Amino acid sequence: MSTDQISSSAAETITVRNPATGAIVGSVAVQPTQEVVAVVNELRSHQPSWEALGPGARAVWLRRLRDWLLDNESHLVDVVCAETGKPRAEATFEIMVTCDVINYYADRARKFLADEKLSPHGLLTATKKLTKVYRPYPIVGVITPWNFPMLIPGVDAVPALLAGAAVLIKPSEETPLSSCELLRGWEQIGAPPVLACVTGPGATGGAVVNAVDMVQFTGSTKTGRAIAARAGERLIPCGVELGGKDPAIVLADADLQRAVNGIAWGGLLNSGQACISVERVYVEAPAYDRFVELLTEKVRSIRQGNDDGSYSADVGTLATPQQIEIVGRHVEDAVARGAKVAIGGTATGSGEFFEPTILLDVDHSMACMREETFGPTIPVMKVADVEEAIRLANDSPYGLSATVWTNDIERGEAIARRLEVGGVNINDAYANLFCFPLPHGGWKSSGLGSRLGGPQGIRKYCRQQAITTPRLPAMKNEVLWYPYSALRGRMVAALLRLLVARDIPRRLRRRGA
Ligand code: NAD
């Protein structure tokens, strides 16, 4: 389907299936371009009064949404599980992180959005009071993937709403039901109609990009590039959070059991379908054999299946048949090029299950070490030393995040500073994502901009406005004003030379110091 236009005559629907069972769990409309435009126009009409409420009153609405999420937690977890096939514990985590983001930004929105009073930088502007004001982009489009269908729309929509924007969510066509629930919650608490959701395939996302004032996108690098190009044509800003191929570096001095626990969790959470999954592991030679032994033991103990609400599974399904195909292809390619499967290696069961898999004897000629797998595979490579590990870790078009495992924290930090990635966790996986004062964003082909990160996580949804006001009573004939006479022109030029070229403020400051 074209991403420019999607016609209303289609009147199609999308059927949503549970990938663990194949059961139909819901359906949504394919919304045509004109419906997207109508929704945006409606949001636009309500946004000014939402902005005028101010951050304190907006925070009240977001806290009500948090309470609604908590009151309805069990049902929401059911919905997330049903459309993703993930275990209940992992679905619960999506609701809790969304609530935690609400807590963090609702408590700080007033402070993060407060006007900033700034000092003039020199004598030339000393007569002015300077104020920087944060004003929201009126309509923010939040376009999201299928891997965390509640968390990602929540984490991006919450700060945008608190900033004073109206928000239009376009969830993945694979998992649209969680976003529809988020919207149902917003409506049920009686909040102003400044949050909406449109459903459909990529073409509906294209219509969103064409209608909003800012785009926050999470998804594949391919789609991110297309959206960034279109946003560039429209001269609207966009944040793009894209794919990754996150390396883990295990040093010989690491606590190997901790490294194994963290890497197994980091590689298999959400069946490995997370942008910051551990996707490749480099182990220093002296620790390699023991690491592989412990990791194999650990992965063998992990329970996979459809937990059906009973917390009986640690790892669920892949979300789509396409993911099964990609993961299978990466394993086959690795084996064909000489890799060994230590455990797992095949699709299993009646749903979209793929066994948790460890690949050994891998190298960078293999797709599993170069391309995003997005599945429950952990390829492990022996390296001579840390220098080789750093070189290989940086040998990737992606740069999302990395983990380093060592008992020497100072050395771990030094290694972190040499990695070409947006975030590094030492002796942990995923940790940076839950530290909201820190930014979460990718370098290289993993993205542009970042989400969260304290004040910038809410200010990114704002335009900055500069306001100057006079400090002194108004003078009718200020010397810098037009019209120039020859005399005034000479005076102005001399004054500017004196103030700027001779940098008087700096000289005065130096003399004072
Ligand atoms: P995708 O790019 O196929 O789709 C993402 C969303 O974009 C969907 O809603 C889709 O309908 C929409 N879309 C598709 N084409 C579009 C277009 N031309 N214009 C506008 N919208 C369009 O991604 P996916 O397969 O759903 O998600 C998996 C990817 O997401 C992986 O690469 C993963 O690494 C990435 N991801 C990144 C992060 C991060 O924070 N960096 C987080 C989660 C997932």
Side-chain angles (χ1 to χ4, degrees):
M1 217 172 312
S2 148
T3 55
D4 299 331
Q5 277 294 318
I6 171 168
S7 89
S8 62
S9 59
E12 292 170 49
T13 56
I14 293 173
T15 303
V16 184
R17 285 177 192 276
N18 181 333
T21 62
I24 294 177
V25 293
S27 69
V28 293
V30 171
Q31 290 187 266
T33 301
Q34 57 269 38
E35 267 183 46
V36 174
V37 170
V39 172
V40 168
N41 288 342
E42 182 69 14
L43 288 173
R44 220 175 265 294
S45 71
H46 295 287
Q47 185 275 333
S49 48
W50 177 244
E51 181 180 350
L53 278 182
R58 292 196 293 268
V60 171
W61 284 113
L62 269 299
R63 289 196 190 96
R64 284 183 193 154
L65 178 66
R66 174 205 55 201
D67 294 346
W68 183 91
L69 290 169
L70 294 173
D71 289 346
N72 292 275
E73 181 199 329
S74 177
H75 167 69
L76 297 172
V77 168
D78 286 345
V79 173
V80 174
C81 289
E83 66 176 349
T84 60
K86 64 176 72 181
R88 201 161 181 82
E90 290 185 357
T92 305
F93 150 102
E94 293 207 39
I95 319 296
M96 292 309 144
V97 174
T98 306
C99 291
D100 201 20
V101 168
I102 295 179
N103 286 339
Y104 179 76
Y105 276 112
D107 288 352
R108 292 164 182 79
R110 205 193 285 264
K111 179 173 152 208
F112 289 164
L113 295 172
D115 291 355
E116 288 179 45
K117 302 284 176 199
L118 302 164
S119 306
H121 74 285
L123 291 179
L124 204 54
T125 50
T127 60
K128 301 294 180 200
K129 279 189 198 158
L130 314 183
T131 310
K132 183 161 46 161
V133 175
Y134 293 100
R135 302 270 311 280
Y137 289 100
I139 314 292
V140 172
V142 171
I143 302 178
T144 59
W146 42 259
N147 57 342
F148 293 101
M150 180 67 77
L151 184 154
I152 294 177
V155 161
D156 288 335
V158 164
L161 284 166
L162 281 165
V167 174
L168 178 58
I169 301 173
K170 204 308 268 177
S172 166
E173 54 274 41
E174 306 289 347
T175 56
L177 305 179
S178 302
S179 287
C180 295
E181 287 296 311
L182 206 56
L183 180 65
R184 191 170 70 82
W186 189 253
E187 288 169 354
Q188 274 200 1
I189 61 172
V194 288
L195 178 66
C197 174
V198 288
T199 50
T204 306
V208 170
V209 178
N210 281 336
V212 298
D213 306 309
M214 188 218 163
V215 183
Q216 178 59 32
F217 170 77
T218 308
S220 64
T221 297
K222 182 168 172 250
T223 308
R225 275 189 217 284
I227 288 180
R230 181 64 190 131
E233 277 169 9
R234 291 198 57 224
L235 276 184
I236 60 166
C238 69
V240 294
E241 302 286 345
L242 311 176
K245 188 74 196 168
D246 285 6
I249 295 179
V250 183
L251 301 190
D253 74 345
D255 173 340
L256 288 188
Q257 190 60 62
R258 181 170 174 89
V260 156
N261 292 345
I263 287 170
W265 185 64
L268 300 177
L269 180 79
N270 208 28
S271 290
Q273 300 168 114
C275 53
I276 58 170
S277 276
V278 174
E279 288 241 343
R280 50 199 171 116
V281 184
Y282 303 99
V283 187
E284 275 192 310
Y288 179 82
D289 289 344
R290 182 71 183 137
F291 177 85
V292 168
E293 191 187 328
L294 289 173
L295 184 67
T296 311
E297 227 172 75
K298 181 79 200 170
V299 170
R300 189 170 291 120
S301 74
I302 284 171
R303 305 163 306 162
Q304 185 177 38
N306 173 19
D307 90 354
D308 214 12
S310 57
Y311 296 94
S312 59
D314 307 309
V315 174
T317 57
L318 294 177
T320 62
Q322 292 88 312
Q323 278 310 120
I324 290 273
E325 193 274 316
I326 294 169
V327 178
R329 180 164 54 76
H330 282 197
V331 172
E332 275 167 30
D333 168 79
V335 170
R337 290 169 193 272
K340 283 201 196 79
V341 178
I343 188 167
T346 48
T348 169
S350 55
E352 313 295 348
F353 291 96
F354 198 99
E355 293 173 318
T357 299
I358 299 174
L359 293 170
L360 305 176
D361 296 342
V362 291
D363 62 43
H364 275 216
S365 72
M366 301 172 185
C368 69
M369 298 298 274
R370 290 193 325 270
E371 297 169 21
E372 188 178 47
T373 308
F374 230 51
T377 51
I378 308 179
V380 186
M381 183 170 173
K382 190 196 290 187
V383 290
D385 54 24
V386 69
E387 290 305 317
E388 187 183 8
I390 293 171
R391 182 177 59 72
L392 289 169
N394 285 337
D395 177 23
S396 171
Y398 294 109
L400 197 49
S401 71
T403 61
V404 178
W405 305 84
T406 173
N407 270 331
D408 183 342
I409 301 299
E410 227 172 275
R411 190 164 170 232
E413 274 199 44
I415 293 167
R417 286 163 203 272
R418 295 177 60 195
L419 295 175
E420 294 290 312
V421 295
V424 182
N425 295 302
I426 294 164
N427 293 340
D428 211 343
Y430 279 92
N432 65 318
L433 192 55
F434 309 120
C435 299
F436 303 150
L438 286 174
H440 170 250
W443 293 7
K444 305 197 278 187
S445 294
S446 289
L448 271 183
S450 56
R451 56 161 65 92
L452 304 171
Q456 79 171 34
I458 190 164
R459 289 178 188 163
K460 67 183 270 188
Y461 295 111
C462 295
R463 299 161 294 183
Q464 298 178 19
Q465 188 170 49
I467 299 181
T468 71
T469 48
R471 247 181 227 287
L472 303 172
M475 285 190 297
K476 277 208 178 93
N477 268 325
E478 211 170 292
V479 72
L480 290 176
W481 283 4
Y482 287 96
Y484 283 147
S485 64
L487 176 61
R488 285 172 72 111
R490 282 204 182 86
M491 276 170 57
V492 168
L495 188 62
L496 288 176
R497 223 169 278 125
L498 191 69
L499 296 180
V500 178
R502 296 182 58 83
D503 200 1
I504 287 177
R506 187 158 155 264
R507 284 162 190 253
L508 288 175
R509 276 200 303 276
R510 272 216 202 137
R511 189 167 293 177

